Amino acid sequence: VERAGYISPNGRKLLEALAMETFKDAGGRANVLIQVTGMKDATFYRVASRLVRDGYARQHEKGDPYFITAKGDLTLSQLSKNYHDSTDS
């Protein structure tokens, strides 16, 4: 069984922010996402770069808003399902 790519707690936090209705259509600019997630700038850019590199988020060009991808949405829903399954017992 292939395991989904590892998403760090900060990666999950950023994906959850990008999945919010506020950012679904227009995307989220770095400065706003930094405030929403509470991450330090360097942490945010490291996490965002990894999410983009691994296909969970996208950004057209440097300085443009970030968007969650279909892969990011699917992974986030699987993480939530696994969390709920483990707390239901």
Side-chain angles (χ1 to χ4, degrees):
V1 177
E2 185 175 321
R3 184 175 172 261
Y6 173 73
I7 303 287
S8 70
N10 278 332
R12 181 176 179 164
K13 187 186 291 187
L14 181 50
L15 284 179
E16 287 170 345
L18 289 170
M20 294 168 58
E21 284 301 315
T22 308
F23 302 121
K24 274 286 196 183
D25 294 327
R29 295 218 172 259
N31 61 333
V32 176
L33 291 168
I34 287 167
Q35 287 183 333
V36 169
T37 61
M39 290 183 209
K40 295 191 182 310
D41 289 16
T43 301
F44 169 82
Y45 287 109
R46 185 179 67 249
V47 170
S49 292
R50 181 172 183 156
L51 292 178
V52 169
R53 184 194 69 210
D54 293 346
Y56 299 107
R58 66 180 170 80
Q59 181 187 37
H60 183 64
E61 290 184 13
K62 186 176 180 177
D64 284 350
Y66 290 89
F67 294 86
I68 193 167
T69 63
K71 179 180 178 180
D73 261 333
L74 179 63
T75 302
L76 194 56
S77 68
Q78 289 172 338
L79 289 170
S80 295
K81 181 185 180 317
N82 290 343
Y83 173 78
H84 291 301
D85 287 351
S86 68
T87 59
D88 287 344
S89 37

